[in-house]
Amino acid sequence: MAGSFASLHIHIVFSTKERRPILTPRLRDLVFPYIAGIVHAEKGHLVEAGGVDDHVHLLVHLLVQLHQQTSVADCARLIKSNSSKWLRENHDDRWLGWQDGYGAFSVSQSSVSDVRDYIRTQEQHHAKTSFQDEFRALLTRHKIEFNEQYIWA
């Protein structure tokens, strides 16, 4: 075999700067296709995108040769920096940007459908659950230790 290969599904979650509720449905409709283009340029596929006014969920499929692989950190950085600049320059000069951090969670092939459904129903989900409670639950479910003092900075 000439190389090593990987097929990775990653559920990426991040909020707007200071969790400000500025990501309107109109902006989400504009930015998700733009994010899909960013992911495509990195040899990936945006499987699903969803969110509410203060955060987004992305299901990204990276199918890459490992020696050319874009790391999850690189992928998140490219998505956030490029989409933030694009939103500010083209659609809303009040746009402050995305939060500094993000959450990234591996998704098995057998769970892709469930995660897609979860991302599609974010508005209904957040009628009952805050972003903070949701994010804590994701961290806990994936056995990621965290300190409340730093998680919302």
Side-chain angles (χ1 to χ4, degrees):
M1 179 186 277
S4 299
F5 300 87
S7 175
L8 309 170
H9 283 90
I10 309 295
H11 179 189
I12 302 174
V13 182
F14 51 89
S15 74
T16 58
K17 180 78 76 184
E18 301 170 357
R19 284 172 306 288
R20 291 187 183 197
I22 192 171
L23 195 63
T24 64
R26 182 185 77 80
L27 285 180
R28 289 193 301 270
D29 286 347
L30 294 168
V31 77
F32 290 152
Y34 188 81
I35 288 173
I38 295 168
V39 173
H40 181 74
E42 294 304 310
K43 309 296 187 238
H45 173 69
L46 182 62
V47 177
E48 196 66 55
V52 293
D53 291 349
D54 68 348
H55 72 280
V56 297
H57 291 256
L58 309 172
L59 181 58
V60 176
H61 182 214
L62 298 175
L63 184 61
V64 294
Q65 287 187 284
L66 289 177
H67 71 279
Q68 298 173 347
Q69 181 178 352
T70 299
S71 70
V72 172
D74 288 341
C75 185
R77 179 185 51 78
L78 288 168
I79 289 170
K80 289 167 56 181
S81 64
N82 291 345
S83 64
S84 189
K85 181 179 183 212
W86 181 79
L87 279 168
R88 185 174 32 262
E89 291 177 354
N90 296 289
H91 298 288
D92 192 334
D93 58 4
R94 300 171 302 136
W95 178 257
L96 296 176
W98 302 110
Q99 74 175 91
D100 291 337
Y102 63 92
F105 311 97
S106 61
V107 177
S108 66
Q109 183 65 45
S110 62
S111 296
V112 166
S113 179
D114 291 339
V115 174
R116 288 185 81 179
D117 290 343
Y118 177 75
I119 291 172
R120 286 182 186 142
T121 59
Q122 281 295 292
E123 291 195 35
Q124 297 93 319
H125 177 72
H126 287 289
K128 298 179 274 183
T129 305
S130 72
F131 170 64
Q132 288 87 345
D133 287 344
E134 172 188 52
F135 198 71
R136 282 185 203 101
L138 284 167
L139 292 171
T140 301
R141 184 176 313 126
H142 289 274
K143 300 190 184 326
I144 298 173
E145 293 183 19
F146 60 94
N147 184 327
E148 284 283 337
Q149 181 179 354
Y150 303 109
I151 195 170
W152 311 117

